[in-house]
Amino acid sequence: MYLIKTPFWLRCIYPTLTWRKLNDTKTIYITFDDGPIPNVTPFVLKTLKEYNAKATFFCIGDNVRKHSDIFRQVADAGHSIGNHTFNHLRGWDTEDQAYLDNFIKCNELTQTKLFRPPHGRIKFSQIARLRSVFPDLQIIMWDVLSGDFDRGLSPEKCLKNVLSTVKPGSIIVFHDSLKAFDRLEYTLPRALKAWQEEGYRFGQL
């Protein structure tokens, strides 16, 4: 069970986290979780370049370690980098110190002030622990979830999910992962084309 559009009440529970970036310039923020990996991340980079779009990549540290050449391609293309823990830890199921240690291990490779908790699940105590060590840390959530990770979702429905819910200031989540690729490959170029035609700008976090 997951929600495509983040509800107001959830943003109220976690008001110190960034769910969207309201603006009057028709700017939206495209993000990718779980990479970098071969084939998928290069496809994303190529597609973004075709539409002159920048994005933010929340990288798993172990993938950065294994695919450092692809990680460099992301950075060299001028995209923003975020931390997504070293082992894609689910915060609700992880002891606070272990969570912090895993974050730090990833940040040794990513060197960023941006963080997205895997699955969007993080304890208040973990937020406090992270910010006690990294006061400038920006914890980035989202207000539009594409659902591209859902193998039961058709590519057409994935595209509809994002096109029907995006508004100026939206932070949109895609995944540069093998699990998501069937839907991502269909949705990303079509969404970028539609947003460009609607006059949206593509911002970086």
Side-chain angles (χ1 to χ4, degrees):
M1 172 65 180
Y2 56 92
L3 299 170
I4 300 302
K5 189 71 174 176
T6 301
F8 173 76
W9 59 265
L10 188 55
R11 299 199 303 268
C12 291
I13 292 174
Y14 291 94
T16 67
L17 310 189
T18 300
W19 296 92
R20 53 186 178 171
K21 294 177 73 70
L22 297 179
N23 61 76
D24 56 6
T25 62
K26 288 198 79 171
T27 299
I28 57 177
Y29 302 86
I30 301 170
T31 68
F32 298 89
D33 288 3
D34 297 355
I37 63 166
N39 300 321
V40 183
T41 305
F43 161 79
V44 170
L45 293 174
K46 177 177 177 291
T47 305
L48 291 171
K49 185 177 181 179
E50 288 173 358
Y51 290 90
N52 195 30
K54 296 300 183 185
T56 303
F57 288 75
F58 289 92
C59 299
I60 294 174
D62 195 39
N63 283 341
V64 174
R65 179 187 64 81
K66 290 184 290 190
H67 309 297
S68 59
D69 56 331
I70 302 175
F71 178 71
R72 282 194 300 271
Q73 290 174 31
V74 175
D76 289 348
H79 300 289
S80 297
I81 302 294
N83 181 324
H84 203 44
T85 74
F86 194 85
N87 297 110
H88 204 254
L89 295 186
R90 189 185 299 260
W92 294 357
D93 302 330
T94 307
E95 186 272 328
D96 289 1
Q97 187 59 48
Y99 197 78
L100 175 62
D101 291 344
N102 206 264
F103 168 92
I104 291 171
K105 189 176 181 180
C106 180
N107 226 47
E108 289 172 353
L109 299 173
T110 55
Q111 296 291 308
T112 177
K113 295 179 180 179
L114 302 176
F115 174 61
R116 173 173 286 154
H119 309 283
R121 297 180 178 180
I122 187 169
K123 302 172 190 173
F124 289 107
S125 56
Q126 290 165 344
I127 294 171
R129 184 74 69 88
L130 286 167
R131 286 182 167 157
S132 70
V133 180
F134 300 93
D136 297 330
L137 186 67
Q138 298 179 53
I139 302 178
I140 308 295
M141 304 300 273
W142 61 82
D143 74 330
V144 175
L145 186 64
S146 67
D148 59 354
F149 56 86
D150 181 356
R151 289 193 172 104
L153 187 71
S154 71
E156 294 81 7
K157 184 62 168 65
C158 184
L159 177 63
K160 183 178 179 181
N161 284 346
V162 294
L163 293 184
S164 64
T165 51
V166 161
K167 296 180 178 179
S170 283
I171 298 173
I172 307 120
V173 180
F174 292 104
H175 295 78
D176 53 331
S177 67
L178 289 173
K179 182 179 180 180
F181 191 45
D182 286 349
R183 287 151 297 282
L184 180 67
E185 186 178 30
Y186 178 89
T187 299
L188 184 60
R190 290 167 174 82
L192 287 168
K193 183 175 186 293
W195 289 328
Q196 194 175 73
E197 290 173 349
E198 293 172 23
Y200 279 109
R201 301 178 182 180
F202 306 114
Q204 294 174 255
L205 296 168

